[in-house]
Short mmCIF file of all heavy atoms in Angstrom, two decimals:
data_model
loop_
_atom_site.label_atom_id
_atom_site.label_comp_id
_atom_site.label_asym_id
_atom_site.label_seq_id
_atom_site.Cartn_x
_atom_site.Cartn_y
_atom_site.Cartn_z
N VAL A 74 60.80 -6.70 -64.42
CA VAL A 74 61.83 -6.89 -63.40
C VAL A 74 61.44 -6.18 -62.12
O VAL A 74 61.63 -6.70 -61.02
CB VAL A 74 63.21 -6.41 -63.93
CG1 VAL A 74 64.23 -6.34 -62.81
CG2 VAL A 74 63.70 -7.32 -65.04
N GLU A 75 60.86 -4.99 -62.23
CA GLU A 75 60.39 -4.26 -61.04
C GLU A 75 59.34 -5.05 -60.28
O GLU A 75 59.23 -4.94 -59.06
CB GLU A 75 59.79 -2.90 -61.44
CG GLU A 75 60.84 -1.88 -61.83
CD GLU A 75 60.21 -0.59 -62.34
OE1 GLU A 75 59.06 -0.62 -62.82
OE2 GLU A 75 60.88 0.43 -62.26
N ASN A 76 58.60 -5.88 -60.98
CA ASN A 76 57.58 -6.72 -60.35
C ASN A 76 58.17 -8.02 -59.80
O ASN A 76 57.43 -8.91 -59.39
CB ASN A 76 56.45 -7.02 -61.33
CG ASN A 76 55.64 -5.78 -61.65
OD1 ASN A 76 55.49 -4.91 -60.80
ND2 ASN A 76 55.13 -5.70 -62.87
N GLY A 77 59.51 -8.15 -59.84
CA GLY A 77 60.15 -9.30 -59.23
C GLY A 77 60.59 -10.40 -60.17
O GLY A 77 61.17 -11.39 -59.73
N GLU A 78 60.33 -10.26 -61.45
CA GLU A 78 60.70 -11.31 -62.40
C GLU A 78 62.19 -11.19 -62.74
O GLU A 78 62.74 -10.10 -62.81
CB GLU A 78 59.87 -11.16 -63.68
CG GLU A 78 60.04 -12.28 -64.66
CD GLU A 78 59.12 -12.16 -65.86
OE1 GLU A 78 58.18 -11.33 -65.83
OE2 GLU A 78 59.35 -12.88 -66.84
N THR A 79 62.85 -12.33 -62.95
CA THR A 79 64.23 -12.36 -63.42
C THR A 79 64.19 -12.74 -64.89
O THR A 79 63.55 -13.71 -65.27
CB THR A 79 65.06 -13.39 -62.64
OG1 THR A 79 65.08 -12.99 -61.27
CG2 THR A 79 66.47 -13.46 -63.17
N ILE A 80 64.90 -11.97 -65.71
CA ILE A 80 64.91 -12.21 -67.15
C ILE A 80 66.35 -12.47 -67.58
O ILE A 80 67.25 -11.69 -67.28
CB ILE A 80 64.32 -11.01 -67.92
CG1 ILE A 80 62.88 -10.81 -67.48
CG2 ILE A 80 64.44 -11.20 -69.41
CD1 ILE A 80 62.21 -9.59 -68.03
N VAL A 81 66.56 -13.58 -68.28
CA VAL A 81 67.87 -13.94 -68.81
C VAL A 81 67.95 -13.43 -70.24
O VAL A 81 67.07 -13.72 -71.06
CB VAL A 81 68.09 -15.47 -68.77
CG1 VAL A 81 69.43 -15.84 -69.39
CG2 VAL A 81 67.97 -15.98 -67.36
N VAL A 82 68.99 -12.68 -70.53
CA VAL A 82 69.20 -12.17 -71.89
C VAL A 82 70.30 -13.02 -72.52
O VAL A 82 71.38 -13.20 -71.93
CB VAL A 82 69.60 -10.68 -71.88
CG1 VAL A 82 69.82 -10.18 -73.30
CG2 VAL A 82 68.52 -9.85 -71.19
N ALA A 83 70.03 -13.57 -73.72
CA ALA A 83 70.95 -14.49 -74.36
C ALA A 83 71.40 -13.95 -75.72
O ALA A 83 70.66 -13.22 -76.39
CB ALA A 83 70.29 -15.85 -74.54
N ARG A 84 72.63 -14.32 -76.10
CA ARG A 84 73.14 -14.02 -77.44
C ARG A 84 73.52 -15.34 -78.07
O ARG A 84 74.25 -16.12 -77.46
CB ARG A 84 74.37 -13.10 -77.35
CG ARG A 84 74.95 -12.80 -78.73
CD ARG A 84 76.27 -12.05 -78.67
NE ARG A 84 76.08 -10.73 -78.12
CZ ARG A 84 76.92 -10.13 -77.27
NH1 ARG A 84 78.01 -10.77 -76.88
NH2 ARG A 84 76.69 -8.93 -76.82
N ASP A 85 73.02 -15.60 -79.25
CA ASP A 85 73.27 -16.86 -79.95
C ASP A 85 72.90 -18.06 -79.08
O ASP A 85 73.59 -19.08 -79.07
CB ASP A 85 74.73 -16.96 -80.38
CG ASP A 85 75.13 -15.86 -81.35
OD1 ASP A 85 74.27 -15.46 -82.16
OD2 ASP A 85 76.29 -15.41 -81.28
N GLY A 86 71.85 -17.94 -78.29
CA GLY A 86 71.36 -19.03 -77.47
C GLY A 86 72.11 -19.23 -76.17
O GLY A 86 71.75 -20.10 -75.38
N LYS A 87 73.16 -18.42 -75.90
CA LYS A 87 73.93 -18.56 -74.67
C LYS A 87 73.60 -17.39 -73.74
O LYS A 87 73.62 -16.23 -74.16
CB LYS A 87 75.42 -18.56 -74.98
CG LYS A 87 75.86 -19.74 -75.80
CD LYS A 87 77.34 -19.67 -76.07
CE LYS A 87 77.75 -20.81 -76.99
NZ LYS A 87 79.14 -20.67 -77.40
N PRO A 88 73.31 -17.67 -72.47
CA PRO A 88 73.00 -16.59 -71.53
C PRO A 88 74.17 -15.61 -71.42
O PRO A 88 75.32 -16.01 -71.31
CB PRO A 88 72.78 -17.31 -70.20
CG PRO A 88 72.46 -18.71 -70.57
CD PRO A 88 73.20 -18.98 -71.84
N VAL A 89 73.84 -14.32 -71.47
CA VAL A 89 74.85 -13.27 -71.39
C VAL A 89 74.71 -12.48 -70.09
O VAL A 89 75.69 -12.17 -69.43
CB VAL A 89 74.74 -12.31 -72.60
CG1 VAL A 89 75.73 -11.17 -72.48
CG2 VAL A 89 74.94 -13.05 -73.89
N LEU A 90 73.47 -12.18 -69.72
CA LEU A 90 73.25 -11.42 -68.50
C LEU A 90 71.87 -11.69 -67.96
O LEU A 90 71.00 -12.20 -68.64
CB LEU A 90 73.44 -9.92 -68.75
CG LEU A 90 72.56 -9.27 -69.83
CD1 LEU A 90 71.38 -8.57 -69.19
CD2 LEU A 90 73.39 -8.28 -70.60
N ASP A 91 71.70 -11.35 -66.67
CA ASP A 91 70.41 -11.48 -66.02
C ASP A 91 69.90 -10.09 -65.68
O ASP A 91 70.66 -9.25 -65.17
CB ASP A 91 70.53 -12.28 -64.71
CG ASP A 91 70.93 -13.72 -64.93
OD1 ASP A 91 70.65 -14.24 -66.02
OD2 ASP A 91 71.51 -14.31 -64.02
N LEU A 92 68.65 -9.85 -65.94
CA LEU A 92 67.99 -8.63 -65.49
C LEU A 92 67.28 -8.99 -64.19
O LEU A 92 66.40 -9.83 -64.17
CB LEU A 92 67.00 -8.12 -66.53
CG LEU A 92 67.59 -7.72 -67.89
CD1 LEU A 92 66.48 -7.33 -68.86
CD2 LEU A 92 68.58 -6.59 -67.73
N VAL A 93 67.70 -8.36 -63.10
CA VAL A 93 67.16 -8.66 -61.78
C VAL A 93 66.79 -7.36 -61.09
O VAL A 93 67.32 -6.30 -61.42
CB VAL A 93 68.16 -9.45 -60.91
CG1 VAL A 93 68.45 -10.81 -61.53
CG2 VAL A 93 69.44 -8.67 -60.72
N PRO A 94 65.90 -7.40 -60.10
CA PRO A 94 65.56 -6.18 -59.36
C PRO A 94 66.78 -5.60 -58.66
O PRO A 94 67.66 -6.32 -58.19
CB PRO A 94 64.52 -6.65 -58.34
CG PRO A 94 63.98 -7.91 -58.89
CD PRO A 94 65.10 -8.53 -59.67
N HIS A 95 66.85 -4.29 -58.60
CA HIS A 95 67.97 -3.59 -57.97
C HIS A 95 67.93 -3.79 -56.46
O HIS A 95 66.87 -3.75 -55.84
CB HIS A 95 67.88 -2.09 -58.28
CG HIS A 95 68.92 -1.29 -57.58
ND1 HIS A 95 70.25 -1.35 -57.92
CD2 HIS A 95 68.83 -0.44 -56.54
CE1 HIS A 95 70.93 -0.54 -57.13
NE2 HIS A 95 70.10 0.02 -56.29
N ARG A 96 69.10 -4.03 -55.88
CA ARG A 96 69.24 -4.10 -54.42
C ARG A 96 70.14 -2.96 -54.00
O ARG A 96 71.22 -2.79 -54.56
CB ARG A 96 69.87 -5.43 -54.00
CG ARG A 96 68.92 -6.59 -54.15
CD ARG A 96 69.56 -7.84 -53.64
NE ARG A 96 70.70 -8.15 -54.52
CZ ARG A 96 71.73 -8.88 -54.17
NH1 ARG A 96 71.82 -9.38 -52.97
NH2 ARG A 96 72.71 -9.12 -55.01
N PRO A 97 69.75 -2.18 -53.01
CA PRO A 97 70.61 -1.10 -52.55
C PRO A 97 71.94 -1.64 -52.04
O PRO A 97 71.98 -2.71 -51.43
CB PRO A 97 69.84 -0.44 -51.41
CG PRO A 97 68.48 -1.02 -51.43
CD PRO A 97 68.50 -2.25 -52.27
N ASP A 98 73.00 -0.92 -52.32
CA ASP A 98 74.33 -1.32 -51.88
C ASP A 98 74.43 -1.14 -50.37
O ASP A 98 74.27 -0.04 -49.86
CB ASP A 98 75.37 -0.46 -52.59
CG ASP A 98 76.79 -0.92 -52.31
OD1 ASP A 98 76.97 -1.94 -51.63
OD2 ASP A 98 77.72 -0.24 -52.77
N GLU A 99 74.69 -2.22 -49.66
CA GLU A 99 74.74 -2.18 -48.20
C GLU A 99 75.88 -1.29 -47.71
O GLU A 99 75.79 -0.70 -46.65
CB GLU A 99 74.90 -3.59 -47.64
CG GLU A 99 73.72 -4.49 -47.90
CD GLU A 99 72.44 -3.99 -47.25
OE1 GLU A 99 72.49 -3.48 -46.13
OE2 GLU A 99 71.39 -4.11 -47.90
N THR A 100 76.97 -1.18 -48.48
CA THR A 100 78.11 -0.37 -48.02
C THR A 100 77.78 1.11 -48.06
O THR A 100 78.43 1.90 -47.39
CB THR A 100 79.36 -0.64 -48.87
OG1 THR A 100 79.09 -0.31 -50.23
CG2 THR A 100 79.78 -2.10 -48.77
N GLN A 101 76.81 1.51 -48.84
CA GLN A 101 76.43 2.92 -48.92
C GLN A 101 75.83 3.42 -47.62
O GLN A 101 75.84 4.59 -47.33
CB GLN A 101 75.41 3.14 -50.05
CG GLN A 101 75.94 2.81 -51.43
CD GLN A 101 76.93 3.83 -51.93
OE1 GLN A 101 76.86 4.99 -51.58
NE2 GLN A 101 77.88 3.39 -52.72
N ARG A 102 75.28 2.50 -46.81
CA ARG A 102 74.61 2.90 -45.59
C ARG A 102 75.54 2.92 -44.38
O ARG A 102 75.11 3.15 -43.27
CB ARG A 102 73.43 1.97 -45.32
CG ARG A 102 72.31 2.18 -46.32
CD ARG A 102 71.09 1.47 -45.87
NE ARG A 102 70.99 0.24 -46.63
CZ ARG A 102 70.13 -0.71 -46.35
NH1 ARG A 102 69.32 -0.59 -45.35
NH2 ARG A 102 70.08 -1.78 -47.09
N CYS A 103 76.81 2.66 -44.60
CA CYS A 103 77.76 2.63 -43.49
C CYS A 103 77.91 4.04 -42.91
O CYS A 103 78.13 5.00 -43.62
CB CYS A 103 79.12 2.13 -43.98
SG CYS A 103 80.32 1.99 -42.67
N THR A 104 77.73 4.14 -41.61
CA THR A 104 77.80 5.45 -40.97
C THR A 104 79.11 5.66 -40.25
O THR A 104 79.28 6.65 -39.56
CB THR A 104 76.64 5.61 -39.97
OG1 THR A 104 76.72 4.57 -39.02
CG2 THR A 104 75.31 5.58 -40.69
#
Side-chain angles (χ1 to χ4, degrees):
V74 169
E75 286 174 336
N76 291 328
E78 188 175 347
T79 298
I80 299 174
V81 177
V82 180
R84 178 187 294 140
D85 298 326
K87 296 180 185 173
V89 177
L90 58 99
D91 295 334
L92 298 176
V93 296
H95 175 71
R96 287 184 294 157
D98 187 4
E99 295 297 322
T100 60
Q101 297 288 330
R102 290 192 259 170
C103 183
T104 58

